[in-house]
Amino acid sequence: MPTEPLLWPGVLGQPRVKRLLLSALQAGRIPHAYLFTGSEGVGKDAMALELARVLHCERGGEQACGECASCGRIAALQHPDVHLIVPLPVGKGEQSEDSPTARLTEHELRAIQEELRRKAENPYRRISIPRATIIKINSIREIRRETAMSTFDGRKRVFIIAQADRMGEEAANTLLKTLEEPPTDCLMILTTHRMDALLPTIRSRCQTIRFDPLTEEDLRLGLVDREGVEPAAASLVARLANGSYTKALELLEGGALDERKAVVMFVRHALGASPMQLSKDVDTLAEGRDRLRVERFLMLLQMWCRDALVLSHGGEIINVDQREDLERFVRKFPHADLSAVIADVEDAISLVRRNVYIKLVLYQLSVLLKRRMNV
Ligand SMILES: [Zn+2]
């Protein structure tokens, strides 16, 4: 039986959103402004770019071909009628009628190009341009200037305003005017994970589409198929990423998997005889008071314990590359109450989130760990 091609494969998951947009396309009822909301890293920008590709694809139809000149230009973020608007640094002596990049230095322009190149390569990446905190009024004014001219190929012009919540008051009011009298053949797509930071008047002029968090399976498949990550590592990162593909990519790049070594050492030292070694581990973890990092460490510890529990009952583990370590652990502590440890780690995570002193949480946990082993 021939299988239907996956709809918009550039966008992970989001079947409900895809159905919504597809039916709008089929009915010829694309509004003049969309507002894509939902948490970070779930594919709002990716979807906006995909929609732009579909609208501009030279072969037409509901699926962008990915091969024509137009698809290629959009993928490289270099299509004359598809604009991605992002926060930019403010140039020295910049006036609001200047073009958005007119007063920037060579160095700043290069940094922007590099970030846009990375975004084009993978639309799930976070754009981080130094000193770029706001969407400038200049960028919004540019929309007006652009729409005054005729389009390159007579199709809809698309303006994607990413992180739309970063518009300053002036920029927001200028955009509002454009939304009130929308230019013909023009589609604005605002994306944000902070919908409440947008002016209600702007929200009410857009058709809002809420994106869902990605499932662990969406994330896992994305990591394996697109980034070439090993399946076991992909499962682990998918679980840590909390529904966000952006987060998953950052975890990979930040070496989250290597942190598992620290997990094994922590367990070993907590159960060992040398308090010195344990206190070194705790110091290292608490360094910089990076609560997100400690939380990630605890989640890895929890998964490791879950694997030990699964292993003692004979099931599928996540840390497959650590099977030997886990087996040794299970043999050494046959009477360990692992379910209790998993609950203890859960408590520790919520304490870290509630701003409790990190070192205290970790020491308490080490004491509990020892007690639960029943050695
Ligand atoms: Zn195409």
Side-chain angles (χ1 to χ4, degrees), residues 8 10-11 21 36 43-57 64 70-71 73-79 81-86 116 118-125 127 158-162 187 189 191 211:
W8 305 333
V11 181
L21 291 173
F36 290 174
K44 302 183 292 294
D45 293 350
M47 188 70 245
L49 286 166
E50 188 67 34
L51 189 56
R53 290 211 306 167
V54 173
L55 292 171
H56 277 274
C57 179
S70 173
C71 281
R73 284 202 193 101
I74 296 174
L77 294 178
Q78 279 168 356
H79 193 287
D81 290 327
V82 176
H83 304 266
L84 177 66
I85 296 166
V86 297
L116 289 178
R118 282 164 52 87
K119 183 78 173 172
E121 201 177 79
N122 188 341
Y124 286 85
R125 278 217 176 100
I127 292 188
V158 183
F159 295 92
I160 301 166
I161 307 177
L187 169 65
I189 307 176
T191 73
F211 282 55

Side-chain angles (χ1 to χ4, degrees), residues 176-196:
L176 189 59
K177 283 194 208 111
T178 309
L179 290 173
E180 279 164 356
E181 297 161 38
T184 47
D185 291 330
C186 178
L187 169 65
M188 312 263 187
I189 307 176
L190 283 65
T191 73
T192 178
H193 65 278
R194 293 171 55 218
M195 176 130 108
D196 25 327

Side-chain angles (χ1 to χ4, degrees), residues 57-59 64-68 71:
C57 179
E58 287 161 18
R59 297 206 192 147
C65 73
E67 287 162 1
C68 68
C71 281

Side-chain angles (χ1 to χ4, degrees), residues 115-155:
E115 281 300 302
L116 289 178
R117 191 192 60 74
R118 282 164 52 87
K119 183 78 173 172
E121 201 177 79
N122 188 341
Y124 286 85
R125 278 217 176 100
R126 194 192 304 271
I127 292 188
S128 72
I129 298 166
R131 293 201 312 111
T133 49
I134 56 158
I135 292 179
K136 303 193 290 186
I137 181 167
N138 314 44
S139 302
I140 303 298
R141 285 208 165 150
E142 191 99 318
I143 298 177
R144 278 282 184 193
R145 262 197 295 270
E146 287 284 335
T147 50
M149 295 181 281
S150 58
T151 58
F152 177 68
D153 58 2
R155 293 172 197 257

